[in-house]
């Protein structure tokens, strides 16, 4: 079989949020498979000019909108949209996030194709009761039930971005024999060590992430209050935006923590911040609704950039670092342990320099996006060309 007739439809409802550059990079890293990115709406946040994009638009008439809305519930799609996608000659539909898989399933059924679903985190971490109570919106009340019905379909398989997330998916009710682990990886040609040598950098701790409960930034602020009492020159830089920004800003001020809130930054600007920091910290927690970090690709970006990491992220803390070699993990919400690790690292330039060197090599070997995507293509081959599911 040649690459020309190995086509996958990569599905996401909205194309594409700026936080999902990893989907674009995974598509660009495909070698043996041709990808067509399919969705229902263009967001105009990420440049998609270098991708093959198809927008399945149900908004042209009232009848289209009604057909699509009803069709999603019963697993069918408008015939015109099915004909347009059938012309691509695809062998597989690959949906990102289980929430979107419910909309990708009618496409897979209409085209008679297997469906592969990558689970990223909130889609199976969030408690079923939270969805069923309508907290995700009225239309998502039945999401857990519909997902589990989808999971038993013989044409459907799942990928989890970490082993920890795979275990969460099993607890959610997805059959264990239908879930494999597939790390996403990062572009290690973009994230490389740079900036001043570690010993010449200010004692700066960097956080990058959405300012929401599960990212745990408040625990880092609490820890930095202890760090700055021991190391008065230590500083915290927070990159990201979200509903908790003002609350966190106030917490830092009332705690006397010197913290700079940069807001949301581009990937290039984040790299610049990494090049000026001694430590990257992702103090993720399990949120009150059960949501938790699936992996935390920013951990890989930091290590690839030569910045040691400290994290409590689900998946990332056990699978995304080499403990004591490229970074350290700690139990979520354990402010004392976090402060102790940060103080120890900021006081030891030698261990920081050693970790910086090991981190870049570790990510290049284990998590380069090309290597990870090559393994993904083997999974594509197994689904389409191997034994029947």
């Amino acid at each position: 079989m040649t690459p020309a007739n190995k086509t996958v439809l990569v599905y996401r409802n909205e194309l594409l949020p700026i936080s999902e550059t990893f989907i674009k990079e995974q598509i660009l890293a495909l070698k043996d498979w041709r990808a067509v990115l399919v969705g229902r709406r263009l967001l105009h946040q990420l440049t998609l000019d270098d991708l093959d994009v198809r927008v399945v638009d149900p908004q042209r008439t009232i009848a289209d909108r009604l057909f699509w809305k009803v069709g999603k519930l019963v697993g069918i799609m408008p015939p015109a949209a099915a004909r347009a996608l059938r012309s691509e000659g695809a062998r597989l539909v690959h949906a990102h996030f289980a929430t979107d898989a419910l909309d990708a399933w009618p496409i897979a059924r209409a085209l008679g194709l297997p469906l592969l679903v990558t689970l990223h985190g909130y889609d199976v971490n969030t408690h079923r009761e939270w969805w069923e109570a309508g907290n995700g919106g009225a239309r998502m009340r039945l999401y857990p039930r519909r997902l589990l019905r989808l999971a038993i379909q013989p044409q459907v398989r799942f990928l989890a971005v970490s082993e920890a997330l795979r275990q969460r998916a099993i607890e959610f009710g997805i059959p264990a024999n239908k879930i494999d682990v597939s790390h996403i990886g990062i572009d290690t040609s973009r994230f490389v060590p740079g900036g001043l040598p570690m010993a010449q950098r200010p004692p700066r701790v960097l956080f990058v992430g959405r300012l929401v409960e599960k990212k745990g930034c408040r625990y880092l602020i609490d820890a930095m209050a202890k760090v700055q009492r021991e190391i008065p020159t230590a500083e915290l830089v927070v990159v990201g935006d979200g509903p908790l920004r003002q609350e966190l800003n106030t917490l830092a001020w009332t705690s006397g923590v010197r913290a700079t809130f940069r807001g949301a930054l581009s990937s290039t600007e984040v790299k610049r911040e990494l090049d000026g920091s001694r430590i990257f910290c992702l103090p993720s927690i399990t949120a009150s609704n059960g949501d938790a970090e699936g992996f935390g690709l920013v951990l890989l970006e930091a290590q690839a950039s030569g910045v040691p990491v400290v994290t409590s992220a689900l998946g990332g803390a056990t699978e995304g670092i080499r403990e004591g070699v490229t970074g350290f993990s700690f139990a979520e919400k354990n402010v004392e342990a976090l402060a102790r690790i940060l103080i120890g690292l900021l006081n030891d330039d030698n261990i920081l320099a050693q970790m910086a060197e090991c981190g870049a090599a570790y990510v290049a070997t284990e998590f380069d996006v090309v290597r990870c995507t090559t393994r993904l293509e083997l999974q594509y081959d197994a689904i389409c060309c191997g034994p029947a599911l």
Side-chain angles (χ1 to χ4, degrees):
M1 182 178 294
T2 63
N5 55 10
K6 293 171 71 173
T7 295
V8 56
L9 302 181
V10 179
Y11 187 86
R12 187 78 169 99
N13 273 335
E14 297 184 327
L15 307 176
L16 274 171
I18 197 167
S19 60
E20 294 176 13
T21 304
F22 61 87
I23 294 178
K24 176 180 176 179
E25 290 183 348
Q26 187 178 76
I27 289 173
L28 291 174
L30 291 169
K31 292 182 178 179
D32 291 337
W33 282 74
R34 165 183 172 255
V36 178
L37 182 61
V38 179
R40 293 185 54 203
R41 185 163 72 95
L42 283 173
L43 293 181
H44 303 289
Q45 292 186 19
L46 282 179
T47 300
L48 302 177
D49 295 343
D50 45 356
L51 302 182
D52 203 356
V53 179
R54 301 288 182 273
V55 177
V56 185
D57 183 10
Q59 304 298 319
R60 288 172 296 182
T61 68
I62 294 175
D64 283 336
R65 290 196 294 271
L66 182 61
F67 194 110
W68 195 277
K69 187 173 293 187
V70 174
K72 285 196 302 180
L73 296 177
V74 296
I76 60 176
M77 67 181 298
R83 285 195 299 271
L85 291 180
R86 190 173 290 113
S87 67
E88 301 293 342
R91 301 290 303 274
L92 173 69
V93 178
H94 180 187
H96 284 273
F97 297 91
T99 47
D100 281 18
L102 299 182
D103 295 325
W105 176 231
I107 295 174
R109 283 189 59 182
L111 304 182
L113 300 178
L115 174 65
L116 180 65
V117 183
T118 292
L119 306 170
H120 289 276
Y122 79 90
D123 42 4
V124 290
N125 279 329
T126 304
H127 297 315
R128 291 183 60 175
E129 296 78 12
W130 186 89
W131 294 107
E132 291 165 350
N135 294 301
R139 64 177 293 268
M140 297 300 289
R141 283 179 178 271
L142 296 179
Y143 164 68
R145 195 178 311 171
R146 294 179 64 203
L147 174 59
L148 295 183
R149 283 205 302 265
L150 177 66
I152 62 174
Q153 297 295 326
Q155 308 97 315
V156 177
R157 288 199 65 85
F158 295 85
L159 298 176
V161 298
S162 67
E163 179 59 38
L165 187 60
R166 179 178 181 272
Q167 293 303 316
R168 288 287 187 95
I170 294 169
E171 292 167 11
F172 195 91
I174 297 175
N177 64 352
K178 302 199 74 173
I179 318 171
D180 297 306
V181 175
S182 180
H183 296 124
I184 298 289
I186 64 163
D187 183 352
T188 55
S189 68
R190 282 200 308 120
F191 290 94
V192 295
L196 293 172
M198 195 60 68
Q200 297 178 31
R201 298 183 187 186
R204 180 179 302 151
V205 177
L206 177 66
F207 168 93
V208 178
R210 281 267 296 157
L211 300 183
V212 294
E213 182 189 2
K214 76 172 181 179
K215 295 295 182 177
C217 187
R218 67 171 297 112
Y219 301 99
L220 176 55
I221 292 173
D222 289 342
M224 286 302 295
K226 300 177 182 297
V227 172
Q228 289 176 350
R229 284 197 290 270
E230 294 284 333
I231 307 174
T233 56
E235 56 185 282
L236 172 64
V237 172
V238 176
V239 173
D241 211 341
L244 297 184
R245 179 170 180 173
Q246 187 55 53
E247 179 182 323
L248 293 169
N249 213 325
T250 301
L251 175 63
W253 185 80
T254 56
S255 302
V257 172
R258 290 180 305 286
T260 302
F261 288 77
R262 301 270 198 239
L265 297 181
S266 68
S267 178
T268 300
E269 292 169 319
V270 168
K271 180 62 170 69
R272 190 176 301 123
E273 293 291 343
L274 284 167
D275 288 344
S277 301
R278 289 200 190 191
I279 300 171
F280 176 82
C281 184
L282 186 62
S284 299
I285 66 166
T286 301
S288 54
N289 67 354
D291 191 12
E293 202 82 55
F295 186 96
L297 288 178
V298 69
L299 293 170
L300 302 181
E301 294 170 352
Q303 291 171 92
S305 299
V307 181
V309 300
V310 179
T311 185
S312 54
L314 178 71
T318 54
E319 300 167 56
I321 67 171
R322 188 162 288 165
E323 183 70 28
V325 178
T326 69
F328 287 103
S329 62
F330 66 98
E332 60 179 55
K333 301 183 182 182
N334 191 334
V335 172
E336 293 290 340
L338 173 55
R340 188 165 56 250
I341 293 169
L342 293 176
I343 291 169
L345 287 174
L346 289 174
N347 280 327
D348 194 333
D349 290 341
N350 289 331
I351 189 65
L352 282 175
Q354 292 170 17
M355 283 188 158
E357 184 177 347
C358 292
Y362 168 64
V363 175
T365 301
E366 300 293 333
F367 294 104
D368 177 76
V369 68
V370 174
R371 291 175 181 266
C372 292
T373 305
T374 296
R375 292 192 284 268
L376 174 67
E377 289 187 293
L378 293 175
Q379 289 166 314
Y380 284 177
D381 289 340
I383 291 171
C384 294
C385 313
L389 294 175

